[in-house]
Amino acid sequence: MKAVIYKKYGAPDVLELKEIDKPTPKDNEVLIKIFAATVTSGDVRLRSSDFPPLFWLPARLIFGLFKPKKKILGHEFSGIIEGKGRNATKFKIGDEVFGTTTMQNSGSYAEFTCLPEQWKHGVIDLKPTNLNFKEAAALPIGSMTALFLLEKAKISEGKNVLIYGASGSVGSYAVQVAKYFGASVTGVCGTSNINMIKSLGAVKVIDYKKEDYTLFNGKFDIVFDAVGKTTKSKAKKVLKKDGVFISVKMLTKEKREHLLRLKELAEKEKLKPFIDSCYQLEDIVSAHEYVDQGHKRGNVVIEISQ
C-alpha cells in the first residue's frame, strides 16, 4: 500500500511517499481503508518537533528522542471498514467510519490502517450521514477540542464569547459550538476571513490587522485562544471579573461521547466543517508547506482513496 513516512524531524520535505506492507488487524482491531485525512497542528508539530521549550525533552522522549518512533503521521481520518479481527464486533464490513488515530499504532497518511475498535486514546464511529468523506475526516479533532474547552469554561446561553483565531480549525468549530449553546460570539481574524466567520455565526468580527482586541469596548465571559497566540494577561483586559480564559495550549481529552455529540450536531446541520483546500496523498509535502505558512482557513484535507 501507499503511505507517507518520515524518518527524521524537520521541514515538510522529510515526508516521503513509499510502498509498504498492508497491515493485518489483530483480534480486537478493524482494518480501515482510508479515504481522507487532514493536516492538523499536531501533525505539523510532530513532523518538525516544534514543541515548547519546557516540553521539548519530555515530548522527544515520548515521540522519539533522535528520530520519530511512529513513522506515519495523520491524526484524523474517514474511510470504510474493510476487515476486522475475530473479537471485533462493533462494526460491519463496508461501514463508513471516521475518527482519530492519535498515533496509536500509526497515523492516517496511508491507504490502510488498523485500529482497536475501542481504546482510551482515540475514537471511531459511524460517519455522519450528511457529510462526505472529506468533511468527515476534518470533523473530529478541531471540533472535539473546541467542545472540550468551551465546556471547561462552562459555556451557556447568553454568555459573551470572544474567539481569538476564529478562522482556524479549532476556531471555526468554536464559533459554531458557542453559537449552538446560545452564546453571543465575537471572532478575531484577518481581513480576508471576516465574511467566513460571520457566515459561521459570529455576531461581530474584529480584524486583528486593524484593531487590537484588548482595546475592544466590551467585556466577555469567555476568551478562547484558538491558535495559541495570545495570553491570559492580554485577555484579562476584556474579561469580566469572573470571566474565563481558555487556550488550545491546555491539555484536552478526546472522548467518544464528545465525538458522538458532534456527529449529532453535524447531522442536524448545526455544525459544518470548513475546508480550506484539498491535496492528494502524493502532494503531502505541498500540503504541509501550505499549513506551515500559518494562514489556512478551517481544515486542509488529504484525499487518499476514492
Side-chain angles (χ1 to χ4, degrees):
M1 71 171 185
K2 292 180 180 178
V4 171
I5 67 171
Y6 77 128
K7 298 178 181 178
K8 60 183 179 179
Y9 300 111
D13 60 8
V14 300
L15 301 173
E16 300 178 273
L17 185 65
K18 298 284 188 180
E19 283 285 342
I20 65 173
D21 292 337
K22 181 179 175 180
T24 300
K26 297 176 182 178
D27 287 350
N28 67 329
E29 291 182 337
V30 289
L31 172 66
I32 301 167
K33 180 178 176 63
I34 299 175
F35 281 20
T38 64
V39 181
T40 66
S41 59
D43 297 315
V44 169
R45 188 172 296 115
L46 284 176
R47 185 212 76 223
S48 61
S49 189
D50 181 22
F51 303 108
L54 187 62
F55 299 104
W56 188 90
L57 183 57
R60 287 292 283 262
L61 290 173
I62 293 170
F63 298 111
L65 185 57
F66 300 108
K67 60 182 180 179
K69 290 180 180 179
K70 306 296 184 184
K71 305 300 183 186
I72 302 176
L73 290 169
H75 282 76
E76 50 190 356
F77 68 89
S78 65
I80 62 171
I81 303 294
E82 185 162 294
K84 57 183 185 175
R86 62 182 180 180
N87 297 330
T89 59
K90 180 181 175 183
F91 299 106
K92 305 186 302 292
I93 304 298
D95 277 349
E96 299 180 348
V97 293
F98 77 128
T100 66
T101 67
T102 318
M103 303 293 287
Q104 171 76 5
N105 296 311
S106 65
S108 55
Y109 291 177
E111 291 182 305
F112 296 90
T113 192
C114 289
L115 294 170
E117 280 194 321
Q118 297 184 25
W119 78 106
K120 66 179 181 179
H121 296 300
V123 285
I124 308 173
D125 208 88
L126 295 174
K127 179 177 75 66
T129 55
N130 60 329
L131 298 186
N132 61 39
F133 284 103
K134 290 183 286 188
E135 292 170 329
L139 182 62
I141 289 180
S143 63
M144 285 196 289
T145 300
L147 178 61
F148 178 87
L149 290 172
L150 284 169
E151 288 192 330
K152 186 180 181 71
K154 302 189 183 305
I155 184 73
S156 62
E157 185 175 359
K159 288 195 173 181
N160 289 317
V161 180
L162 181 139
I163 299 171
Y164 186 87
S167 59
S169 178
V170 175
S172 63
Y173 287 121
V175 171
Q176 297 177 78
V177 172
K179 179 188 176 184
Y180 169 76
F181 276 100
S184 177
V185 181
T186 296
V188 180
C189 64
T191 311
S192 61
N193 296 324
I194 290 175
N195 289 336
M196 167 198 170
I197 302 309
K198 287 182 177 179
S199 73
L200 295 177
V203 295
K204 181 173 178 58
V205 181
I206 298 172
D207 184 346
Y208 75 86
K209 293 183 178 181
K210 299 179 179 179
E211 183 180 356
D212 183 347
Y213 85 91
T214 65
L215 302 177
F216 181 72
N217 185 24
K219 295 291 184 179
F220 297 92
D221 299 288
I222 300 170
V223 172
F224 188 162
D225 174 16
V227 285
K229 292 184 178 180
T230 190
T231 63
K232 186 175 183 178
S233 60
K234 289 182 179 179
K236 280 184 176 180
K237 297 177 181 179
V238 292
L239 274 172
K240 294 179 180 178
K241 185 177 181 180
D242 57 349
V244 180
F245 174 76
I246 50 176
S247 171
V248 290
K249 291 183 177 180
M250 297 175 175
L251 292 177
T252 60
K253 284 188 177 182
E254 297 171 9
K255 294 183 178 180
R256 184 169 180 269
E257 63 189 67
H258 287 141
L259 191 68
L260 292 178
R261 289 172 61 192
L262 293 158
K263 172 187 170 181
E264 182 181 1
L265 290 182
E267 290 182 332
K268 291 180 177 179
E269 299 186 349
K270 301 293 185 181
L271 192 68
K272 181 77 171 178
F274 189 97
I275 295 179
D276 177 308
S277 52
C278 298
Y279 292 80
Q280 299 299 309
L281 187 62
E282 292 80 2
D283 300 318
I284 191 71
V285 172
S286 296
H288 271 249
E289 287 175 341
Y290 175 63
V291 174
D292 273 2
Q293 295 173 16
H295 302 301
K296 78 175 177 70
R297 307 193 305 160
N299 304 274
V300 170
V301 171
I302 307 298
E303 296 183 76
I304 298 175
S305 302
Q306 299 297 322

